[in-house]
Amino acid sequence: MNLERADLNLLVYLDVLLRERNVTRAANQLGLSQPAMSNGLKRLRELFSDPLLVRTREGMMPTERAIELQPMVREALAAIDQVIQPNREFEPSEARRTFRIMASDYAESTLIPPLLKQLRVSAPGISLDIMTPSDVSFVDVEQGKVDMVINRFDSMPQSFHQATIWSDAFSCVLRADNPILDDYNLDSYLQAQHIWVSKTGMGVGVGVNPEDVQRLGWVDEAIARLGKKRDISVFTRHYQVAMLLAEQSDLIVTVPARMAQLAHANPRVVLRDPPLNIPPLELKMAWSPLLQQSAPHRWMRRLILDVGRQL
């Protein structure tokens, strides 16, 4: 590719074409005629010596070269946008905007309250739109439709930027008169019935296979390393629900320690360390390369990390 013969507007066309995978929709989004967008696609194919989008029974599909180009084009456009924007400092105390944040209920319960407290002081005009993991896809994040996602992630697109907010140990929450407390050890823990709770990543969840230990997560993997298995009676994706069920039954729930601490003043439950070693989990924040250089976004990321460190 030779910059002397490249029209940078074509990169804007390519970005939208690869996102929409439809010439007519891409043209409408950019306010162009369909013939103009078709001509732009023709010029792009000549520029990159690749068809980029190929018509199939399932619609226009990107070539391998197009998939390779997509994150690079978006990052390049974000950098260009930063260059041509006025050089203004972000003033949080004067700002009025909404940050859209996807957060698991673990993050929502432990991180968001102190974050909101900080915002009320330093940026009262900023509001938060908290979304659940099921509301958001990786594509939404990649396109910058969501400012950031906060959760535990098994995997993440390589183009995303990310930072670790904190590491957390695990605690067990039990009803205060749970009979297991008379002889609480690994054997009695494994003989009891449990509540499984987890929601990593994002997207619509699917049913759990109790036999698939690796997909059950940190707690069950740690138990499996001992050659053991626990008896799970309830599977849920909501930590608050899991802790409520533990309070109302003889079931045990093993949750991140910061989550368990929310119940430390509740006289109806007690907290105990797990009777086995469970590696700590990491709460991560991830965001699109399109937002990497945004001054408001940089400020919010720093604030979230500062709140995490204070906790």
Side-chain angles (χ1 to χ4, degrees):
M1 179 175 175
N2 189 336
L3 281 176
E4 293 180 358
R5 64 187 183 93
D7 178 356
L8 290 181
N9 284 321
L10 289 176
L11 294 183
V12 178
Y13 294 6
L14 180 58
D15 179 46
V16 179
L17 280 165
L18 293 179
R19 187 165 64 241
E20 296 295 333
R21 299 186 183 184
N22 182 285
V23 171
T24 301
R25 287 201 302 268
N28 290 339
Q29 186 167 329
L30 292 175
L32 300 174
S33 67
Q34 196 271 346
M37 181 56 77
S38 295
N39 183 59
L41 178 56
K42 178 183 177 182
R43 293 170 63 195
L44 283 164
R45 286 167 169 165
E46 293 172 353
L47 184 63
F48 289 102
S49 301
D50 188 271
L52 299 175
L53 285 168
V54 178
R55 193 175 301 280
T56 70
R57 287 185 298 178
E58 299 178 356
M60 300 286 278
M61 299 297 292
T63 64
E64 183 178 357
R65 175 63 170 150
I67 293 171
E68 177 185 273
L69 285 170
Q70 190 169 23
M72 293 188 287
V73 168
R74 288 181 177 168
E75 194 156 3
L77 290 175
I80 292 170
D81 183 66
Q82 186 68 21
V83 168
I84 64 178
Q85 288 296 323
N87 185 20
R88 295 195 304 265
E89 289 295 324
F90 177 65
E91 295 292 343
S93 61
E94 301 174 5
R96 298 194 64 83
R97 64 163 289 172
T98 298
F99 281 91
R100 183 172 290 176
I101 300 175
M102 184 226 84
S104 63
D105 76 321
Y106 163 54
E108 191 174 12
S109 299
T110 56
L111 175 69
I112 299 302
L115 173 64
L116 189 59
K117 184 177 180 180
Q118 290 274 16
L119 287 174
R120 295 303 91 205
V121 174
S122 58
I126 287 179
S127 57
L128 302 179
D129 179 8
I130 308 299
M131 310 178 74
T132 71
S134 298
D135 294 330
V136 176
S137 69
F138 281 124
V139 174
D140 294 328
V141 181
E142 189 177 41
Q143 295 177 1
K145 295 179 180 178
V146 178
D147 285 288
M148 57 201 66
V149 291
I150 301 175
N151 202 351
R152 301 176 293 157
F153 295 95
D154 294 328
S155 62
M156 194 181 301
Q158 291 186 350
S159 62
F160 285 14
H161 295 275
Q162 60 177 292
T164 299
I165 298 175
W166 64 49
S167 293
D168 199 359
F170 284 84
S171 291
C172 295
V173 180
L174 305 91
R175 188 162 58 98
D177 57 353
N178 191 319
I180 193 178
L181 293 170
D182 295 333
D183 187 23
Y184 181 73
N185 53 48
L186 179 59
D187 287 339
S188 60
Y189 175 87
L190 293 176
Q191 290 170 10
Q193 292 187 316
H194 294 256
I195 304 165
W196 176 96
V197 55
S198 181
K199 178 57 178 169
T200 59
M202 50 197 171
V204 178
V206 295
V208 174
N209 177 3
E211 303 304 320
D212 190 351
V213 172
Q214 288 189 329
R215 294 187 65 84
L216 289 179
W218 280 263
V219 176
D220 293 278
E221 286 183 11
I223 294 172
R225 282 193 288 272
L226 299 176
K228 306 289 186 178
K229 184 179 177 182
R230 62 175 175 165
D231 185 2
I232 302 172
S233 296
V234 178
F235 294 85
T236 181
R237 280 77 179 164
H238 302 281
Y239 288 91
Q240 294 281 13
V241 170
M243 292 169 63
L244 182 63
L245 291 174
E247 177 186 329
Q248 297 179 355
S249 70
D250 287 341
L251 301 175
I252 301 173
V253 61
T254 306
V255 295
R258 282 181 173 85
M259 191 75 199
Q261 280 299 314
L262 297 178
H264 78 280
N266 183 350
R268 294 182 295 275
V269 300
V270 296
L271 309 184
R272 292 288 186 270
D273 291 335
L276 72 158
N277 179 42
I278 305 173
L281 63 86
E282 288 190 334
L283 183 68
K284 289 184 176 291
M285 170 173 61
W287 61 95
S288 167
L290 296 177
L291 299 171
Q292 171 68 5
Q293 301 303 325
S294 164
H297 205 272
R298 290 202 310 269
W299 176 84
M300 177 58 81
R301 296 196 306 261
R302 286 196 299 268
L303 180 62
I304 289 173
L305 293 175
D306 286 345
V307 170
R309 280 192 289 270
Q310 291 169 19
L311 291 175

